[in-house]
Amino acid sequence: MRYFDTAVIGGGVLGCFAARNLRRWNISAVLIEGESEVCTGITRSNTAIVYPGYDNQPGSLKARMTVRGNANFGRLCKELEVPFSRCGSLMVSCGPGADGVLRKKLENGIRSGVPGLELISGAQAREMEPILTPAVTSALFAPSTGTVNPWQLGIAAFENAVNNGCEPMLNTKVLAIHQSDDGYLIETNGVPIACKVILNCAGLSADKIQELLFEPSVRIFPTGADFLILDQLARKPSRIIFQESEEKGKGVTAVPTVEGNLLLGPSRRPLYGRPWATALEGLDFLRESTARVLPGVDPNQVIRSFASVRPNPHRVVLRDGEYIPDGRPIGSFVIENPAPGFWSLIGIKTPGLTCADELGMYLAKQTARYLDAADNPAFDPHRKAITPYRNHPDYHQIICQCGRITRGQILEAIARGATTVDGVKRRVGSGMGRCQGSRCAWEIVKILKETGANPDPMF
Ligand SMILES: Cc1cc2nc3c(=O)[nH]c(=O)nc-3n(C[C@H](O)[C@H](O)[C@H](O)COP(=O)(O)OP(=O)(O)OC[C@H]3O[C@@H](n4cnc5c(N)ncnc54)[C@H](O)[C@@H]3O)c2cc1C
């Protein structure tokens, strides 16, 4: 049995930021993650946008956290040495219905304190982004919108949490939770854990984790989403483009990523057999809606497609022994506190990435108050990124030709916890160029094996 003040369940971006922020106080913490590495769930597959905050109901927790999270993102990324681009965004409309929605969003944004918002004409939008269709009638310009690599951000927060004393328990699945005299007992597939506080950040399984002990007020009904990534050489806008569609449902979103690619997505569709596999209908939707709004984007420049899973939270009714969604969408963040010392984030969708530090801080503050914990004067918010170059032969040997990633960087990624080709990719960006790892994956497997790792036999 291991003892900690607090156990964070789930090593996605939300769990990693909760763990990091806990260590601002003298609170012993463990981060329990079922997979061999952190940030392999929803955090791995999303739109990577740091939202400005005009989409949310003014005055709501979501709106406040988004505007504050966005404002603090530059500082956060400096502390963690993660690339962040405040590229700005245009939400474009192509008709009177959508023009009206943009005016409403402008009003919301002003009420929420989103800086620099401007409603501009279609001609002005095309001057800013000549790649847009001439059919654009108006656009909402938000200079504070940005983009970040989501898994790099999560991994950086994880490394910083560990450097500040949080204990990582990877490959550790939570199987059962019991109440004890002074807190909780967690059964896992490894050592059991005793703790005073549980922070449930289990993403798609957060409702099931809470259900191990308490009835959740909402349940997750997942749906699917698809994305396309275009080559760095493809023509792209310099800002993020959102489309407010005339018809029901959103149009495409186009993101010029920090790596220099164009990311298109997400689609909206049901979840099929294999949750993380792409679906034809989603990919077709992305191609068609991109052609309508960004006719200058060449669909033949796609180098990768990937899927995601939306953790949609719903209140439920029980019918014939089965939980059925009650049909009303939940617009706010669901933060449950069913018993003293137990908090759950359930079904945190967009803008969870933007608010990761805010949500993590919220949980850490609740915990510190509950435990009456003192500040931790030794907390260091800084984390060093993997060095691109050192004067050592390993840093002269390029392994990933597209990204010019060296053997030295790959060895450093492995030393920091990468155990798979994907884990190396998420730390140094190998395999993200035009060839998508077809030239370097085998080389990386060899390096992983040299260091004693046992990577996926597929590679
Ligand atoms: C399609 C899509 C696009 C999005 N785009 C944006 C965007 O552009 N901007 C933005 O701000 N937000 C966006 N979001 C929201 C954001 O991505 C999420 O809010 C965020 O990534 C959720 O992180 P998480 O830590 O909750 O989940 P995850 O990353 O899924 O992490 C949960 C972790 O819990 C672990 N776990 C589960 N069960 C157990 C168990 N029993 N034992 C141990 N570990 C367990 C899992 O292995 C997993 O690693 C998007 C979301 C989606 C779905």
Side-chain angles (χ1 to χ4, degrees):
M1 175 85 72
R2 301 286 311 278
Y3 297 86
F4 297 92
D5 292 328
T6 303
V8 179
I9 302 175
V13 70
L14 299 182
C16 292
F17 271 100
R20 174 184 191 244
N21 284 322
L22 277 174
R23 293 298 300 144
R24 293 176 189 272
W25 284 271
N26 271 322
I27 298 173
S28 63
V30 58
L31 186 140
I32 308 170
E33 168 53 52
E35 301 296 327
S36 60
E37 296 196 20
V38 295
C39 299
T40 59
I42 309 167
T43 302
R44 186 194 52 183
S45 41
N46 58 63
T47 325
I49 298 171
V50 178
Y51 278 88
Y54 58 66
D55 277 318
N56 314 113
Q57 182 61 34
S60 64
L61 181 69
K62 209 185 226 182
R64 281 182 281 131
M65 281 192 173
T66 308
V67 175
R68 223 171 29 220
N70 177 301
N72 289 331
F73 230 87
R75 175 201 41 82
L76 184 69
C77 289
K78 254 196 200 123
E79 281 176 0
L80 295 173
E81 293 199 356
V82 172
F84 166 57
S85 157
R86 203 177 278 288
C87 52
S89 66
L90 288 177
M91 177 169 270
V92 302
S93 63
C94 297
D99 287 344
V101 176
L102 296 198
R103 282 195 295 276
K104 181 77 193 135
K105 286 185 190 282
L106 173 68
E107 259 171 49
N108 276 356
I110 291 171
R111 281 175 61 202
S112 294
V114 178
L117 283 179
E118 218 181 309
L119 200 55
I120 58 175
S121 67
Q124 284 172 307
R126 279 197 308 283
E127 216 167 277
M128 289 168 83
E129 297 292 354
I131 201 170
L132 281 168
T133 167
V136 169
T137 46
S138 70
L140 182 57
F141 172 50
S144 63
T145 314
T147 179
V148 68
N149 180 313
W151 59 72
Q152 274 185 11
L153 182 72
I155 289 172
F158 171 72
E159 288 181 358
N160 186 241
V162 173
N163 289 342
N164 277 295
C166 170
E167 178 147 341
M169 273 195 194
L170 304 176
N171 288 311
T172 307
K173 280 204 164 60
V174 170
L175 304 175
I177 305 177
H178 312 280
Q179 263 175 314
S180 65
D181 289 345
D182 63 345
Y184 300 94
L185 292 175
I186 304 177
E187 279 180 42
T188 71
N189 57 342
V191 281
I193 293 156
C195 58
K196 295 175 191 147
V197 173
I198 288 181
L199 302 180
N200 167 16
C201 302
L204 286 159
S205 305
D207 55 346
K208 303 210 172 54
I209 290 289
Q210 179 157 321
E211 198 186 16
L212 292 172
L213 202 52
F214 308 108
E215 186 70 13
S217 76
V218 299
R219 277 165 198 277
I220 292 172
F221 292 86
T223 54
D226 308 276
F227 291 91
L228 292 170
I229 300 184
L230 274 71
D231 186 27
Q232 292 179 349
L233 295 179
R235 208 176 148 216
K236 55 183 172 287
S238 55
R239 296 166 188 80
I240 293 169
I241 306 293
F242 301 107
Q243 182 203 0
E244 184 55 48
S245 174
E246 272 300 284
E247 308 96 54
K248 205 169 174 288
K250 286 263 177 291
V252 73
T253 297
V255 182
T257 66
V258 283
E259 290 85 18
N261 300 87
L262 182 64
L263 173 68
L264 301 172
S267 63
R268 278 166 196 275
R269 58 165 172 84
L271 202 61
Y272 299 116
R274 289 172 56 214
W276 297 96
T278 50
L280 210 51
E281 75 189 72
L283 299 179
D284 286 348
F285 161 81
L286 294 180
R287 284 175 188 273
E288 284 157 19
S289 49
T290 304
R292 273 200 300 273
V293 184
L294 296 161
V297 168
D298 178 0
N300 295 318
Q301 298 276 7
V302 170
I303 56 170
R304 190 177 191 92
S305 60
F306 65 93
S308 185
V309 183
R310 288 190 163 90
N312 311 302
H314 285 278
R315 289 186 209 294
V316 290
V317 287
L318 197 56
R319 204 170 290 155
D320 301 331
E322 217 181 299
Y323 289 110
I324 313 280
D326 77 352
R328 283 171 295 164
I330 296 179
S332 52
F333 284 147
V334 180
I335 307 175
E336 304 239 296
N337 178 209
F342 195 114
W343 281 271
S344 292
L345 299 179
I346 306 187
I348 304 291
K349 297 204 299 178
T350 306
L353 174 67
T354 310
C355 300
D357 188 39
E358 291 286 321
L359 286 163
M361 194 56 143
Y362 176 90
L363 294 179
K365 277 185 180 165
Q366 299 291 332
T367 307
R369 204 169 300 143
Y370 177 70
L371 296 175
D372 198 18
D375 287 353
N376 173 10
F379 177 78
D380 179 0
H382 299 100
R383 168 261 183 192
K384 283 259 160 259
I386 290 178
T387 338
Y389 178 73
R390 273 183 218 276
N391 191 11
H392 183 281
D394 283 339
Y395 288 82
H396 291 271
Q397 190 183 338
I398 291 181
I399 302 292
C400 163
Q401 305 295 331
C402 306
R404 294 169 63 85
I405 313 289
T406 63
R407 178 181 162 84
Q409 287 168 280
I410 291 166
L411 285 169
E412 207 175 326
I414 295 169
R416 289 186 186 210
T419 57
T420 59
V421 174
D422 220 33
V424 170
K425 167 184 171 173
R426 283 200 301 277
R427 284 169 178 82
V428 292
S430 48
M432 288 182 65
R434 180 180 281 188
C435 91
Q436 286 292 293
S438 60
R439 289 184 289 184
C440 65
W442 285 99
E443 291 293 322
I444 295 173
V445 168
K446 271 197 238 158
I447 300 174
L448 278 160
K449 283 188 173 162
E450 278 169 31
T451 62
N454 189 15
D456 191 324
M458 277 294 287
F459 289 101

